[in-house]
């Protein structure tokens, strides 16, 4: 399942149970998973299978009900809120289906945001933001607001924002879900390019075409990994 | 319209919390406005309860170097006979008597008035007759006219009271009339009226009467001034000694009342108006938030064919309905508020008895309610005008137009902060002035002093020897009462609203040729250990003593200001000055200056003459006590009645009460402005809280994104607080510049502080920023509890 080196992400018997009134919903039921550094993993499965819950746990947006999560050699499942925020800021880059750019901020300011929280000095922030925007081909739109951009352009900016802090892993949740096929293809090409340059990517997708871009595909059903295969790239 | 009204009622009933909050806010705002406006209406707009009151004027005498002064009776007789501008005129003076012959002796308030008073104020007795010219002269038989109150209280509303006899200060008078209920004399209260001419002082030096007159129809103030000016010049030539450099002036009676309390009332009206505006801004904010949730409803209405104006009409119907309900309850608040205001009002607040809710106030409340409803309803109503139908129907009204609406809400909060700052700075300036006034040393020791007034009837104490003997014995007896440390008396007391001035010149200087060239001083006749009882400071020389008798050289004590003015760097003891209408007197002592007319007023230099050399029948008794002064009044009353059982003591007060009373108008304004400023701050805090809470709710998605990108709780909290601080800062800047321009109108109310006092401006700004900080902290904390997963809509 891994390339043999120490995994960047190690999940062991991770479960997630949601309790509402008297109903218990087992969103994840004993997930074991390792993801190596530089790996491109896609997660697929029907609606309600636990893909997004798994991604939320991987992104430290949620905590597992049980089990162990080790990120970059550090157990992170029991961390406090502010420690999780710090790791999220430094180790993880998010790419959302709905882009989730902040409407009141310019392209530059949106991309700059993770560095601001990290306390990176202004001059260095400027350099990193421009580099990230260069990578996604959006450096000519720094002063635009998200509403002035197309969906594809917004997602490129979102990718730049995910990249700018050089995180250990990019987590992408249906990154092409809100895009037409041309823009979707362009974003996927961008992801593949990032992966070629060494980025670790975990991507949730419904689309089998894009799932094939990954090194490894994981199939979830009812909160369990039911299939796992290495793609021939 | 009926359809809109019905739907508006249903909508308001559907959101009871919103309706309750809005109605209560409006009831407070409108009620406070109605209450204050009732006072303004009664005192400033319809102050004078006399027919054609606009033609009523005061005639003032004015001497160069002295300023305005009361009227001398012979001067009145002259200008009354010579003028061509007045339909009628009169002089009045407050006095008091001991009423006997009808049950228990009672001290009563009287007004001595000339016969013209009835035609001047256009009032007639309801029974009997008014004074005739023949009643109003020396040697006439004593007659009185009772007020309705005294007639009912002491005569059991006896319809055959006319012709009955009563005794005032043991002198017989015949009742010739009873005034109707509701009768009021200008500026003075009384139980009965007596003709002033019976025993008027005929000296042209004695300025002690108030003149009121009624202009002939069509005569302007300028014409009246010109006519009286001519008369005063004639009198100056005829009587250069007493009238030289002296003139007559006319002031409208309403103008005089406005001068007394107008500025304070208008500042309060402005303040309460600001409170209502802040309340409007708050409710407009609430309505804007509600309009957001109702966008889909408006869109559906529009899609079904409702015109935009129809939607606006619906919104305005709701807001005006809310305001009318608020106004209705506001009337109740106003009714309580008026009772509250009247209970707080200063003792000498003019025309307080006329303050009430009447039909004009109902109309005022209705007009204010409708205006209020339109003011706070117009912004949300026109927001609905700009509705994007397609977006609203598609997105359920969740996001479209949010930015502009949010900007509006922020603008409203900025206005609230600015208005609250203006109001709070006004209150701050008045508080600082009040503190400054209370720090003023009156020149005597206020604590443990008991004062009371005593009038010896002329009939029983017809000469100076009897008068002097009575006070000598009384003060001697009182001095030995347990608990009394010193006993004295004075013809007039500091802060008692009673002061006498006397003209004088220094021995060795030429006698001034004209009255206006004289120097003037506050003058008091003092008996016993008055200076010790008041705790006054002896600077040089000595107090009066047993050596100063009727037949010994005439002496006086002066205050340190007089000494410094006329004998700088010299010992004034042994110097002499000439008192007009009196004699040459030698200075035997110098005492500290005291505040006579008010802690916040400059007073003239002061002179004191010994009672033994100038006995006086009406005296203020003053006692320094070793314990609670109020507890000594019974013992002193017994001491007085042991000497004469028919005497009535009145106006029994401690000096602390007199000081407190002298501050009552200032305290009244401060208290009300502080209440309004507190209300404004509270409303502004609620406004900031509302906008920030709404903003946090609207931005929960953004907060989720920020948290996903690594924002810590402190980052999110800081984001919200910074936003609130930005609004507060803009509001403070606007408020400071507005306050800078507006506080000048209250300059006349300030004491020891400028209208742009930097510490007050800075302190209140900081206070407002702290209020904004606290108000935004709760929403800021709430923002940190946003669950990023929920906000980002994970499954």
């Amino acid at each position: 399942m891994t390339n043999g080196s120490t995994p960047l992400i190690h999940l062991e018997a991770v479960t997630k149970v949601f309790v509402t009134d008297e109903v218990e919903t087992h969103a994840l039921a004993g997930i074991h998973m390792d993801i190596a550094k530089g790996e491109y993993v896609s997660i697929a499965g029907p609606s309600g299978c636990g893909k997004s819950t798994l991604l939320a746990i991987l992104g430290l947006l949620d905590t597992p009900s049980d089990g162990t999560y080790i990120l970059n050699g550090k157990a992170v499942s029991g961390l406090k809120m502010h420690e999780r925020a710090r790791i999220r800021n430094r180790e993880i880059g998010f790419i959302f289906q709905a882009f989730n750019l902040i409407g009141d901020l310019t392209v530059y300011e949106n991309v700059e945001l993770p560095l601001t929280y990290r306390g990176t000095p202004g001059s260095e922030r400027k350099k990193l933001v421009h580099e990230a925007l260069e990578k996604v081909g959006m450096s000519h739109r720094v002063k635009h607001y998200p509403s002035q951009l197309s969906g594809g352009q917004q997602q490129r900016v979102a990718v730049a924002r995910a990249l700018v802090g050089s995180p250990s892993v990019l987590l992408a949740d249906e990154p092409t879900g809100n895009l037409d096929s041309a823009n979707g293809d362009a974003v996927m090409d961008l992801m593949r390019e990032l992966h070629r340059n060494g980025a670790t990517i975990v991507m949730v997708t419904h689309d089998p075409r894009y799932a094939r871009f990954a090194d490894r595909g994981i199939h979830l059903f009812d909160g369990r990994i039911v299939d796992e295969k290495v793609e021939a790239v | 319209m009926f359809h809109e009204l019905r739907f508006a009622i249903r909508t308001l009933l559907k959101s009871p919390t919103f309706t309750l909050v809005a109605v209560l806010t409006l009831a407070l705002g409108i009620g406070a406005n109605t209450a204050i406006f009732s006072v303004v209406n009664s005192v400033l707009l319809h102050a004078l309860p006399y027919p054609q009151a606009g033609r009523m004027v005061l005639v003032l005498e004015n001497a160069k170097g002295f300023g305005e002064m009361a009227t001398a009776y012979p001067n009145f007789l002259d200008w009354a006979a010579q003028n061509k501008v007045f339909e009628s005129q009169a002089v009045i003076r407050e006095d008091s008597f001991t009423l006997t012959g009808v049950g228990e002796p009672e001290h009563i308030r009287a007004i001595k008035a000339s016969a013209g008073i009835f035609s001047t104020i256009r009032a007639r007795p309801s029974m009997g007759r008014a004074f005739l010219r023949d009643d109003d002269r020396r040697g006439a038989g004593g007659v009185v006219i009772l007020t309705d109150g005294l007639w009912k209280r002491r005569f059991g509303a006896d319809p055959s009271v006319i012709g009955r006899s009563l005794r005032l200060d043991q002198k017989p008078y015949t009742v010739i009339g009873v005034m109707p209920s509701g009768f009021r004399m200008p500026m003075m209260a009384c139980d009965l009226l007596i003709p002033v001419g019976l025993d008027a002082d005929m000296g042209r030096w004695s300025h002690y009467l108030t003149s009121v007159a009624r202009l002939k129809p069509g005569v302007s103030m300028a014409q009246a001034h010109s006519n009286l000016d001519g008369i005063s010049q004639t009198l100056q030539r005829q009587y250069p000694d007493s009238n030289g450099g002296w003139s007559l002036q006319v002031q409208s009676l309403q103008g005089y009342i406005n001068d007394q309390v107008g500025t304070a009332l208008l500042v309060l009206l402005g303040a309460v108006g600001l409170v209502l505006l802040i309340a409007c801004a708050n409710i407009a904010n609430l309505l804007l938030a509600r309009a957001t949730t109702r966008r889909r409803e408006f869109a559906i209405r529009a899609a079904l064919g409702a015109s935009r104006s129809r939607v606006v009409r619906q919104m305005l119907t709701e807001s005006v309905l809310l305001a009318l309900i608020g106004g209705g309850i506001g009337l109740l608040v106003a009714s309580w508020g008026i009772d509250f205001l009247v209970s707080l009002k200063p003792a000498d607040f003019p025309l307080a008895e006329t303050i009430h809710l009447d039909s004009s106030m109902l109309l005022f409340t209705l007009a204010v309610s409708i205006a209020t409803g339109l003011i706070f309803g117009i912004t949300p109503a026109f927001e609905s005008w700009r509705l994007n139908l397609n977006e609203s129907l598609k997105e359920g009204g969740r996001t479209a137009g949010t930015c502009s609406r949010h900007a509006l809400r922020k603008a409203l909060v900025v206005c609230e902060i600015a208005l609250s700052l203006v109001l709070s700075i006004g209150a701050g300036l008045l508080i600082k002035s009040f503190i400054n006034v209370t720090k003023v040393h009156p020149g005597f020791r206020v604590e443990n002093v008991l004062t009371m007034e005593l009038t010896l009837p002329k009939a029983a104490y017809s000469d100076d020897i009897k008068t002097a003997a009575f006070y000598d014995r009384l003060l001697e007896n009182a001095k030995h009462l347990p608990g009394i440390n010193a006993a004295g008396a004075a013809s007039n007391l500091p802060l008692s609203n009673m002061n006498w001035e006397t003209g004088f010149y220094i021995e060795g200087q030429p006698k001034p040729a004209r009255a206006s060239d004289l120097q003037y001083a506050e003058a008091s006749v003092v008996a016993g250990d008055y200076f010790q009882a008041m705790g006054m400071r002896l600077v040089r020389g000595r107090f009066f003593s047993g050596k100063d008798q009727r037949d010994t050289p005439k002496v006086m004590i002066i205050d340190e200001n007089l000494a410094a003015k006329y004998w700088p760097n010299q010992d004034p003891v042994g110097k002499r000055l000439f008192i007009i209408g009196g004699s040459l007197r030698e200075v035997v002592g110098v005492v500290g200056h005291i505040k006579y007319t008010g802690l916040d007023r400059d007073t003239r230099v002061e002179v004191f003459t010994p009672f033994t050399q100038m006995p006086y029948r009406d005296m203020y008794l003053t006692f320094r006590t070793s314990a609670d002064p109020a507890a000594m009044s019974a013992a002193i009353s017994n001491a007085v009645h042991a000497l004469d059982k028919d005497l009535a003591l009145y106006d029994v007060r401690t000096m602390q009460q007199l000081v407190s009373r002298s501050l009552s108008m200032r305290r009244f304004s401060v208290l009300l402005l502080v209440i309004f400023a507190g209300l404004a701050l509270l409303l502004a805090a609620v406004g900031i809280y509302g906008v920030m809470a709404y903003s946090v709710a609207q931005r929960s998605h953004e907060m989720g994104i920020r948290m996903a990108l690594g924002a810590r709780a402190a980052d999110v909290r800081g984001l919200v607080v910074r936003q609130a601080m930005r609004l507060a800062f803009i509001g403070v800047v606007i408020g400071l510049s507005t306050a800078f321009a507006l506080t000048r109108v209250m300059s006349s109310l300030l004491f020891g502080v400028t209208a742009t006092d930097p510490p007050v401006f800075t302190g209140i700004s900081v206070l407002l920023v702290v209020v904004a900080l606290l108000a935004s902290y709760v929403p800021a904390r709430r923002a940190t509890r946003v669950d990023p997963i929920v906000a980002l809509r994970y499954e």
Side-chain angles (χ1 to χ4, degrees):
Chain A
M1 292 214 273
T2 71
N3 61 8
S5 59
T6 309
L8 177 69
I9 290 170
H10 172 71
L11 295 185
E12 195 175 313
V14 165
T15 62
K16 183 69 185 178
V17 182
F18 294 107
V19 181
T20 48
D21 295 331
E22 291 169 5
V23 182
E24 275 192 7
T25 308
H26 292 261
L28 296 176
I31 301 287
H32 295 267
M33 185 167 79
D34 284 341
I35 296 171
K37 196 170 167 52
E39 207 179 355
Y40 189 168
V41 177
S42 76
I43 300 172
S47 281
C49 69
K51 303 185 294 288
S52 293
T53 306
L54 178 58
L55 208 63
I57 288 172
L58 290 177
L60 300 184
L61 290 173
D62 206 351
T63 49
S65 305
D66 202 2
T68 305
Y69 174 17
I70 293 169
L71 174 65
N72 224 355
K74 183 175 181 183
V76 293
S77 33
L79 293 180
K80 289 183 181 161
M81 281 273 282
H82 69 275
E83 290 168 325
R84 284 181 11 223
R86 200 181 68 81
I87 292 175
R88 225 165 29 230
N89 179 252
R90 285 163 192 274
E91 307 279 355
I92 294 161
F94 281 102
I95 302 164
F96 303 100
Q97 176 179 350
F99 326 137
N100 282 336
L101 298 176
I102 294 174
D104 291 337
L105 303 183
T106 61
V107 163
Y108 180 92
E109 288 164 339
N110 264 291
V111 177
E112 186 189 29
L113 209 53
L115 302 177
T116 312
Y117 294 135
R118 195 181 289 189
T120 310
S123 55
E124 196 185 339
R125 279 207 309 265
K126 194 171 172 186
K127 182 172 144 273
L128 291 172
V129 170
H130 280 292
E131 279 175 12
L133 285 169
E134 285 283 344
K135 275 186 196 161
V136 301
M138 289 298 294
S139 55
H140 59 300
R141 291 274 197 260
V142 285
K143 288 187 178 162
H144 285 65
Y145 284 92
S147 58
Q148 296 170 307
L149 304 177
S150 71
Q153 287 175 319
Q154 287 190 47
Q155 194 60 301
R156 282 164 174 271
V157 174
V159 172
R161 183 178 65 183
L163 287 176
V164 72
S166 306
S168 303
V169 59
L170 289 178
L171 300 179
D173 187 7
E174 298 276 9
T176 58
N178 280 14
L179 301 176
D180 57 30
S181 59
N183 273 314
D185 289 350
V187 167
M188 289 315 298
D189 285 344
L190 178 61
M191 303 266 283
R192 190 155 57 176
E193 186 61 27
L194 292 171
H195 172 236
R196 278 191 192 130
N197 292 330
T200 309
I201 301 175
V202 180
M203 176 178 69
V204 166
T205 181
H206 270 112
D207 193 328
R209 285 183 304 136
Y210 298 142
R212 281 199 293 272
F213 279 54
D215 301 335
R216 181 154 59 105
I218 292 173
H219 201 85
L220 284 181
F221 189 79
D222 280 350
R224 294 172 195 280
I225 296 174
V226 292
D227 189 19
E228 195 171 354
K229 58 186 171 194
V230 177
E231 296 290 341
V233 180
Chain B
M1 193 65 203
F2 180 71
H3 169 81
E4 272 96 0
L5 190 63
R6 207 178 51 183
F7 188 77
I9 294 170
R10 227 166 47 206
T11 309
L12 295 181
L13 287 176
K14 223 169 68 184
S15 323
T17 311
F18 161 80
T19 306
L20 189 70
V21 169
V23 163
L24 286 182
T25 307
L26 285 166
L28 267 180
I30 296 174
N33 270 270
T34 304
I36 292 286
F37 191 73
S38 295
V39 179
V40 171
N41 185 47
S42 299
V43 177
L44 298 187
L45 303 181
H46 300 105
L48 302 168
Y50 311 111
Q52 294 175 302
R55 282 164 48 200
M56 292 180 69
V57 295
L58 290 176
V59 180
L60 304 163
E61 297 192 0
N62 195 302
K64 212 172 80 187
F66 183 86
E68 285 173 4
M69 57 185 175
T71 302
Y73 190 64
N75 290 343
F76 163 70
L77 294 178
D78 284 336
W79 62 253
Q82 294 171 33
N83 85 80
K84 293 183 169 46
V85 289
F86 298 136
E87 192 176 272
S88 62
Q89 57 275 310
V91 282
I92 52 177
R93 186 204 169 189
E94 281 180 303
D95 208 337
S96 61
F97 294 93
T98 304
L99 170 68
T100 48
V102 275
E104 287 292 301
E106 180 189 347
H107 174 75
I108 55 160
R109 297 164 304 167
I111 288 180
K112 287 182 169 171
S114 61
I117 190 67
F118 300 96
S119 50
T120 305
I121 64 173
R122 296 245 174 109
R124 306 287 313 163
S126 56
M127 282 168 57
R129 66 172 176 85
F131 297 146
L132 301 175
R133 208 174 276 265
D134 264 357
D135 298 320
D136 187 23
R137 60 176 173 78
R138 274 182 189 276
V143 292
V144 295
I145 295 174
L146 308 178
T147 58
D148 183 69
L150 186 69
W151 174 56
K152 287 177 176 157
R153 183 158 52 80
R154 294 306 299 257
F155 296 89
D158 177 5
S160 60
V161 72
I162 306 298
R164 269 186 70 173
S165 185
L166 53 81
R167 296 179 82 81
L168 297 175
D169 284 357
Q170 300 183 7
K171 232 177 117 182
Y173 288 83
T174 306
V175 177
I176 60 163
V178 177
M179 295 308 289
S181 113
F183 160 77
R184 289 182 196 97
M185 285 292 275
M187 302 174 293
M188 300 174 185
C190 67
D191 298 310
L192 54 74
L193 298 160
I194 297 180
V196 73
L198 286 174
D199 57 356
D201 185 336
M202 293 305 287
R204 285 185 191 270
W205 291 102
S206 301
H207 297 267
Y208 69 105
L209 298 163
T210 302
S211 302
V212 284
R214 178 177 286 272
L215 292 170
K216 284 180 180 169
V219 172
S220 68
M221 292 290 279
Q223 287 169 315
H225 270 298
S226 165
N227 184 234
L228 288 183
D229 202 38
I231 295 171
S232 68
Q233 284 177 22
T234 308
L235 291 176
Q236 283 193 53
R237 282 192 297 275
Q238 282 180 312
Y239 310 105
D241 257 17
S242 57
N243 289 32
W246 157 102
S247 64
L248 287 168
Q249 288 181 339
V250 187
Q251 184 183 12
S252 84
L253 191 53
Q254 183 64 67
Y256 171 78
I257 290 168
N258 290 2
D259 282 354
Q260 283 187 304
V261 292
T263 311
L265 282 183
L266 291 178
V267 165
L268 289 176
L269 188 64
V272 81
L274 288 185
V275 171
L276 186 58
L277 270 182
I278 296 168
C280 281
N282 253 358
I283 297 169
N285 252 337
L286 281 175
L287 284 178
L288 275 173
R290 268 182 101 232
T292 307
T293 60
R294 291 176 67 188
R295 288 177 68 82
R296 197 172 174 80
E297 172 207 322
F298 297 142
I300 292 168
R301 280 170 180 273
L304 294 176
S307 65
R308 293 190 168 191
S309 61
R310 184 90 191 239
V311 174
V312 168
R313 208 164 73 194
Q314 177 64 51
M315 294 283 283
L316 286 180
T317 305
E318 286 175 31
S319 59
V320 171
L321 179 66
L322 257 183
L324 286 174
I325 299 170
I329 300 174
L331 275 177
L332 278 179
V333 174
S335 154
W336 298 325
I338 288 171
D339 291 346
F340 178 64
L341 288 175
V342 170
S343 72
L344 285 183
K345 72 166 175 54
D348 49 359
F349 196 83
L351 298 157
E353 63 282 4
T354 64
I355 301 167
H356 62 285
L357 273 181
D358 58 15
S359 55
S360 63
M361 284 300 95
L362 292 180
L363 281 178
F364 171 83
T365 308
L366 183 69
V368 167
S369 302
I370 292 172
T372 304
L374 291 176
I375 290 170
F376 70 70
I378 204 90
T379 314
F382 279 93
E383 263 301 294
S384 65
W385 184 282
R386 292 163 33 173
L387 199 67
N388 181 328
L389 286 186
N390 191 29
E391 288 293 318
S392 299
L393 285 170
K394 218 164 55 183
E395 300 188 19
R398 195 177 65 84
T399 53
T402 299
C403 274
S404 70
R405 182 171 296 107
H406 206 66
L408 254 176
R409 301 194 66 195
K410 287 178 185 170
L412 285 169
V413 164
V414 165
C415 290
E416 285 187 49
I417 293 169
L419 293 177
S420 308
L421 186 77
V422 172
L423 201 46
S424 304
I425 284 176
L429 290 173
L430 280 190
I431 291 172
K432 192 163 179 184
S433 298
F434 189 76
I435 292 169
N436 286 345
V437 173
T438 56
K439 280 183 186 162
V440 170
H441 193 278
F444 52 89
R445 284 180 15 237
V446 174
E447 72 291 349
N448 285 0
V449 179
L450 182 66
T451 76
M452 58 196 72
E453 217 174 329
L454 180 60
T455 301
L456 301 185
K458 200 173 178 181
Y461 298 86
S462 53
D463 59 47
D464 288 351
I465 294 168
K466 283 184 186 167
T467 304
F470 173 83
Y471 279 111
D472 273 352
R473 277 169 58 202
L474 173 63
L475 296 179
E476 188 58 28
N477 293 349
K479 191 162 78 175
H480 297 296
L481 288 174
I484 299 288
N485 294 344
S491 56
N492 40 307
L493 204 61
L495 311 178
S496 66
N497 280 347
M498 175 66 78
N499 62 317
W500 286 94
E501 290 101 359
T502 185
F504 69 93
Y505 62 93
I506 309 292
E507 186 191 26
Q509 292 180 354
K511 181 185 177 189
R514 305 188 312 169
S516 60
D517 295 335
L518 283 169
Q519 304 297 327
Y520 288 89
E522 297 281 349
S524 308
V525 172
V526 301
D529 296 329
Y530 171 75
F531 296 110
Q532 293 90 332
M534 290 292 285
M536 287 169 68
R537 191 165 44 91
L538 180 68
V539 180
R540 274 175 184 278
R542 63 172 175 88
F543 288 136
F544 297 131
S545 70
K547 289 193 291 186
D548 305 312
Q549 290 302 320
R550 188 181 172 80
D551 47 3
T552 59
K554 300 287 183 266
V555 293
M556 71 187 323
I557 288 174
I558 61 171
D559 79 333
E560 57 193 342
N561 288 9
L562 195 153
K565 188 171 176 187
Y566 295 102
W567 295 289
N569 308 318
Q570 291 180 57
D571 185 356
V573 174
K575 309 282 187 194
R576 297 198 296 180
L577 44 80
F578 194 88
I579 301 291
I580 296 304
S583 53
L584 198 60
R585 288 183 175 271
E586 183 182 323
V587 176
V588 294
V590 179
V591 291
H593 179 73
I594 57 175
K595 293 280 184 183
Y596 249 102
T597 48
L599 296 178
D600 51 355
R601 292 186 202 159
D602 288 329
T603 39
R604 299 172 197 284
V605 294
E606 290 146 8
V607 296
F608 303 89
T609 46
F611 177 81
T612 45
Q613 296 178 349
M614 198 185 277
Y616 210 72
R617 285 186 294 112
D618 301 347
M619 296 291 276
Y620 288 92
L621 304 178
T622 52
F623 303 96
R624 177 155 296 278
T625 63
S626 51
D628 176 18
M632 294 305 299
S633 60
I636 290 162
S637 179
N638 290 341
V640 169
H641 290 140
L643 296 178
D644 186 339
K645 64 175 173 39
D646 286 335
L647 295 179
L649 284 167
Y650 53 96
D651 286 347
V652 179
R653 294 191 190 99
T654 65
M655 207 63 224
Q656 256 156 344
Q657 286 169 327
L658 278 173
V659 170
S660 173
R661 195 183 68 164
S662 78
L663 297 173
S664 54
M665 185 64 207
R666 203 172 268 287
R667 192 183 300 114
F668 178 72
S669 309
V670 168
L671 184 65
L672 287 185
L673 212 55
V674 166
I675 291 174
F676 296 150
L679 210 54
L681 279 179
L682 181 71
L683 286 173
V686 170
I688 295 165
Y689 170 82
V691 160
M692 297 321 297
Y694 180 78
S695 167
V696 165
Q698 290 290 101
R699 294 173 70 188
S700 62
H701 181 68
E702 178 193 330
M703 301 298 174
I705 297 171
R706 286 175 182 272
M707 289 168 99
L709 296 177
R712 293 157 303 160
D715 295 319
V716 173
R717 212 165 33 231
L719 186 75
V720 177
V721 170
R722 266 198 308 279
Q723 190 191 354
M725 288 300 100
R726 248 195 316 272
L727 298 183
F729 179 75
I730 299 170
V732 163
V733 169
I734 296 172
L736 279 178
S737 38
T738 313
F740 199 76
L742 284 185
T743 49
R744 285 159 210 275
V745 299
M746 54 193 294
S747 294
S748 64
L749 303 176
L750 305 180
F751 181 82
V753 58
T754 63
T756 53
D757 184 58
V760 169
F761 273 58
T762 314
I764 300 291
S765 302
V766 171
L767 172 72
L768 216 86
V769 169
V770 171
V771 167
L773 193 68
L774 293 175
S776 64
Y777 192 72
V778 175
R781 273 183 63 94
R782 195 174 301 151
T784 63
R785 294 196 205 108
V786 167
D787 184 341
I789 303 172
V790 175
L792 297 173
R793 297 180 185 282
Y794 275 91
E795 49 181 46

